């Protein structure tokens, strides 16, 4: 006789354990989205990093799908990328993000360069830094100083709100 409750609990625990190992790095597809700056950019006080999507590990990113239904994970699990589906689905309320995700595990199952916690970036992968409209000058200088000490040479952008529309205008520093 099969105890369905116990089986369901064991499957749930296995899924939670498996996904607990997963590392996720999210990327937005637009630098000028006002909601993104409000929600994730600390009310325009933060900054946005721009990456070249053709370089690794960013090139491994998968587009997030937005649906009202919870994802269903196959059991037994598939032997390929279809196992990632549950980590690539979000509610339609988040669709404005236009999100992409790079997924990896500390054991490096997906052959993405990482140290178990963070992705390893090549010097050409970081192409831009966009400061929010309200980013403090000392924060900008601290970030620029950290970046110039590393292997990156991104273009630096400052932002201001457009005068007659609900838009952010970015200008490269000269």
């Amino acid at each position: 006789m099969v105890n369905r409750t116990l089986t369901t609990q064991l499957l749930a625990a296995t899924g939670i354990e498996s996904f607990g190992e997963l590392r996720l790095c999210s990327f937005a597809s637009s630098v000028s989205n006002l909601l993104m700056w409000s929600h994730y950019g600390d009310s325009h006080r933060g900054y946005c990093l721009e990456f070249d999507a053709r370089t690794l590990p960013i090139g491994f990113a998968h587009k997030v799908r937005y649906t009202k239904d919870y994802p269903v994970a196959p059991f037994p699990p598939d032997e390929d990328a279809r196992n990632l589906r549950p980590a690539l689905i979000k509610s339609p309320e988040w669709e404005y993000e236009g999100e992409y995700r790079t997924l990896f595990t500390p054991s490096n199952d997906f052959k993405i360069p990482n140290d178990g916690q963070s992705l390893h970036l090549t010097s050409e992968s970081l192409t831009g830094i966009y400061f929010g409209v309200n980013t403090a000058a000392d924060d900008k200088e601290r970030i620029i100083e950290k970046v110039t000490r590393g292997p990156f040479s991104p273009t630096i952008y400052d932002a201001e709100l457009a005068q007659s529309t609900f838009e952010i205008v970015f200008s490269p520093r000269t």
Side-chain angles (χ1 to χ4, degrees):
M1 170 160 282
V2 174
N3 182 332
R4 291 192 184 277
T5 302
L6 180 59
T7 303
T8 301
Q9 290 172 343
L10 288 171
L11 289 173
T14 302
I16 290 169
E17 184 179 323
S18 295
F19 274 96
E21 289 289 311
L22 192 64
R23 302 295 183 261
L24 183 140
C25 188
S26 295
F27 304 96
S29 56
S30 172
V31 69
S32 57
N33 185 307
L34 288 170
L35 284 175
M36 295 293 282
W37 279 101
S38 297
H39 294 160
Y40 299 110
D42 192 22
S43 296
H44 300 263
R45 290 187 296 260
Y47 59 96
C48 176
L49 302 177
E50 176 184 66
F51 298 98
D52 183 343
R54 298 169 297 181
T55 63
L56 297 178
I58 312 304
F60 280 117
H62 300 271
K63 184 158 182 49
V64 169
R65 212 179 84 216
Y66 302 93
T67 179
K68 64 181 181 73
D69 299 319
Y70 282 122
V72 176
F75 188 83
D78 298 315
E79 293 288 327
D80 58 22
R82 289 177 290 179
N83 280 333
L84 303 177
R85 281 184 293 204
L88 297 170
I89 294 176
K90 291 176 78 171
S91 167
E93 282 74 20
W94 299 103
E95 196 162 4
Y96 74 89
E97 294 177 337
E99 184 178 351
Y100 285 79
R101 290 180 173 176
T102 297
L103 307 164
F104 64 98
T105 59
S107 62
N108 206 12
D109 293 342
F110 304 120
K111 307 299 182 241
I112 295 175
N114 75 87
D115 64 7
Q117 296 297 319
S118 303
L119 297 176
H120 286 221
L121 302 175
T122 60
S123 60
E124 63 275 357
S125 60
L126 180 64
T127 58
I129 300 176
Y130 293 78
F131 290 112
V133 172
N134 298 320
T135 306
D138 57 328
D139 288 340
K140 290 180 182 182
E141 294 312 314
R142 184 175 41 79
I143 291 164
I144 291 170
E145 186 223 325
K146 286 184 181 216
V147 169
T148 56
R149 282 188 287 158
F152 307 108
S153 53
T155 302
I156 309 293
Y157 297 89
D158 288 305
E160 60 185 5
L161 295 177
Q163 296 296 311
S164 60
T165 59
F166 294 107
E167 295 177 294
I168 302 171
V169 177
F170 292 99
S171 303
R173 286 191 174 191
T174 52

